[in-house]
Amino acid sequence: VGTIAGLGASDLGVVWFDALADFNTPETTTTGFTDGMGLAVTVGHCWKEMTRGVPGFSAVAERDVVLAGVRAIEPAEEERLAASDVSVVGADRIGLEKPGTLEVALDGLKSRVGRVYVHLDLDVLDPEKAGKANEFAPAGGLSAEDLKTALCVIRERFAIAAVGMASYDPAFDADGRVLAVAL
């Protein structure tokens, strides 16, 4: 919220890399875990009174968001995403061997915005291929090379206004592989 407020939502898209959809609201969450609401807050679906208190914040239009690398979506989030204009590109549709899907979503976004905020939740990485970023990282994510390629595709199309990295717990990255990818 603070970063988007600082950037201003005008002409701003969001590319949200995350293993989890982060599209719950207080009404749909089964756990009450506020970290699972970040994207929903970004598009103005919840915590509206709180975000009104952040100078300069306005929600990003759903159609200006690409959720990338997701592979663990709760049923309520799946319903909400299906009813939204957020472009969803699953982890199985990103990678060197599967060109096209991310590029199509980004090209659609490029027709509407010129700059993006990139949210990079490190649990988007596959724990086996790239290391485990935190306790919530499910199997089946991106390799370090797939993530690097995806970020290069974004950089080719947009001015990157800011990047936020999230959800790194060094206790789960004993060999430092995730940290190396992040750096």
Side-chain angles (χ1 to χ4, degrees), residues 128-142:
E128 294 297 318
K129 295 177 188 172
K132 191 165 184 173
N134 59 52
E135 66 181 295
F136 305 107
L142 305 182

Side-chain angles (χ1 to χ4, degrees), residues 11-119:
D11 191 39
L12 182 71
V14 173
V15 182
W16 193 278
F17 284 94
D18 206 323
L20 310 163
D22 288 355
F23 213 59
N24 270 313
T25 67
E27 294 76 28
T28 64
T29 183
T30 59
T31 65
F33 191 51
T34 56
D35 280 7
M37 301 178 200
L39 185 54
V41 173
T42 299
V43 297
H45 288 199
C46 60
W47 298 104
K48 294 177 186 179
E49 190 61 34
M50 178 197 67
T51 60
R52 271 195 277 280
V54 178
F57 178 79
S58 64
V60 175
E62 290 177 354
R63 69 186 193 120
D64 294 336
V65 175
V66 175
L67 173 58
V70 67
R71 60 191 184 277
I73 303 175
E74 294 179 12
E77 291 176 306
E78 194 166 358
E79 288 177 27
R80 295 186 71 253
L81 282 166
S84 78
D85 288 328
V86 172
S87 295
V88 180
V89 180
D92 62 335
R93 302 304 304 156
I94 297 175
L96 299 176
E97 69 283 355
K98 299 176 187 83
T101 305
L102 180 62
E103 290 89 341
V104 170
L106 293 174
D107 286 344
L109 183 61
K110 180 66 177 160
S111 71
R112 296 182 299 278
V113 303
R115 60 197 183 102
V116 294
Y117 164 67
V118 177
H119 171 86

